[in-house]
Amino acid sequence: MAGQEEKPIIYTMENKPIVTCAGDQALFTSLYTSLAQQLPREPMEWRRTYGRAPKMILLEANFVQFKEELLPKEGNKALLTFPFLHIYWTDCCDTEMYKSSVKEDMMRWQNSLRTHGSSDWVIIVVETNDTKKKNKTNILPRSSIVDKIRSDFCNKQSDRCVVLSDPLKDSSRSQESWNSLLLKLRTLLLMSFTKNLGRFEDEMRTLREKRTQPGWSFCEYFMVQEELAFVFEMLQQFEDALVQYDELDALFTQYVLNFGAGGT
């Protein structure tokens, strides 16, 4: 929330897709361990472009506190530092609190995403018995708060507001809610990943096609395609990662042969 000290909750040196978390940081912290452990337990089918065969992958995530400087700037090609999904956490069930603070904070968050062209986001409303007991005045039915959020922020994307019911409670309803949320996060994360990876590969191919032009640098291109290899390694797709180095080796060998034959 606004006014709190801005510092990352979780930062690791592991190569995992980055997911930012805004809103109630204490709420997210209480759920972090379960979320991080359960997210990669179920594989997702990854369908890529250009007729490639689908693969089953396990999606992990590096959850960090949202900061606007984390959002990618124009021309940023470093996918390993690219936030693929943005989550806003709240357990607000008080209409006055929503109007006075939560709504304004959500607006700042969504405006930042819109300014940087980031369209991959989800709002998670956590419902617990504790919040119901604490807020007996001005309390609205949970569906009313969710409806307000969907009306104010989701427009035609009502599925971008998800309710998580009693996440720390040991019950079938809680587990069903968890499973639904995990599937939603995996789906959104994979959609964003596929979209941004496809854009990255298109830009890489465009750069490769310019290799006969004056001033083209193999070293600069190497860094770009190696980034792609790192991304495949992050997804434990090691054969695809090795293919990138094979292609770089073939390209470099061709340059050496051309130079030996008198080329520039």
Side-chain angles (χ1 to χ4, degrees):
M1 301 293 293
Q4 295 181 342
E5 182 182 358
E6 294 187 3
K7 60 181 180 179
I9 293 178
I10 303 294
Y11 270 118
T12 74
M13 295 304 293
E14 299 174 4
N15 288 334
K16 298 177 182 178
I18 294 174
V19 175
T20 73
C21 294
D24 192 330
Q25 299 297 322
L27 174 65
F28 165 69
T29 301
S30 69
L31 303 174
Y32 165 73
T33 299
S34 297
L35 185 63
Q37 290 176 349
Q38 295 184 38
L39 186 66
R41 285 185 179 174
E42 296 293 333
M44 293 287 289
E45 185 180 61
W46 187 28
R47 291 185 173 273
R48 300 179 61 204
T49 55
Y50 303 106
R52 295 160 176 153
K55 295 184 178 182
M56 302 302 292
I57 64 172
L58 296 174
L59 286 170
E60 295 184 90
N62 180 16
F63 294 95
V64 305
Q65 184 172 353
F66 175 80
K67 284 188 174 184
E68 189 166 355
E69 53 263 36
L70 292 174
L71 297 175
K73 297 177 177 58
E74 187 175 353
N76 180 14
K77 296 182 172 60
L79 278 180
L80 294 180
T81 64
F82 190 98
F84 289 97
L85 182 62
H86 306 280
I87 304 176
Y88 190 99
W89 296 85
T90 182
D91 60 359
C92 177
C93 59
D94 187 308
T95 179
E96 294 303 321
M97 180 181 295
Y98 174 74
K99 291 179 180 178
S100 64
S101 60
V102 175
K103 181 178 179 180
E104 183 179 345
D105 195 48
M106 282 187 183
M107 288 179 64
R108 286 194 297 267
W109 171 71
Q110 202 166 68
N111 287 338
S112 295
L113 297 180
R114 191 178 296 114
T115 298
H116 290 79
S118 299
S119 58
D120 300 296
W121 54 268
V122 63
I123 297 171
I124 299 177
V125 182
V126 179
E127 177 187 55
T128 65
N129 287 327
D130 289 340
T131 55
K132 291 178 181 178
K133 292 176 182 178
K134 289 178 183 177
N135 298 279
K136 293 184 178 180
T137 60
N138 295 323
I139 192 169
L140 286 175
R142 177 66 53 178
S143 59
S144 297
I145 290 290
V146 172
D147 287 344
K148 281 182 174 294
I149 292 174
R150 286 174 175 163
S151 175
D152 291 337
F153 298 100
C154 299
N155 297 322
K156 297 180 180 180
Q157 296 176 294
S158 60
D159 62 325
R160 293 299 180 96
C161 180
V162 179
V163 177
L164 178 61
S165 301
D166 290 316
L168 300 179
K169 189 176 180 180
D170 186 13
S171 68
S172 58
R173 181 170 179 266
S174 173
Q175 191 58 50
E176 182 180 347
S177 182
W178 256 117
N179 291 338
S180 178
L181 173 66
L182 290 169
L183 178 59
K184 169 65 71 174
L185 293 182
R186 292 183 192 117
T187 301
L188 291 176
L189 190 55
L190 191 59
M191 285 172 55
S192 174
F193 197 88
T194 302
K195 175 182 65 178
N196 287 288
L197 184 62
R199 186 181 300 134
F200 182 89
E201 290 181 298
D202 287 342
E203 292 174 353
M204 188 185 76
R205 275 187 288 272
T206 299
L207 182 60
R208 184 183 180 120
E209 290 170 358
K210 296 179 180 179
R211 63 188 180 275
T212 58
Q213 297 180 8
W216 190 87
S217 169
F218 175 81
C219 292
E220 291 181 7
Y221 177 79
F222 180 95
M223 299 296 288
V224 173
Q225 190 155 358
E226 187 180 41
E227 178 84 9
L228 183 59
F230 289 154
V231 169
F232 286 127
E233 184 180 358
M234 176 175 68
L235 295 176
Q236 299 184 6
Q237 302 299 308
F238 301 113
E239 291 185 3
D240 287 329
L242 288 173
V243 165
Q244 309 311 313
Y245 290 106
D246 287 340
E247 291 181 358
L248 286 168
D249 177 62
L251 182 61
F252 184 70
T253 299
Q254 187 62 50
Y255 264 89
V256 172
L257 292 175
N258 290 345
F259 183 77
T264 303

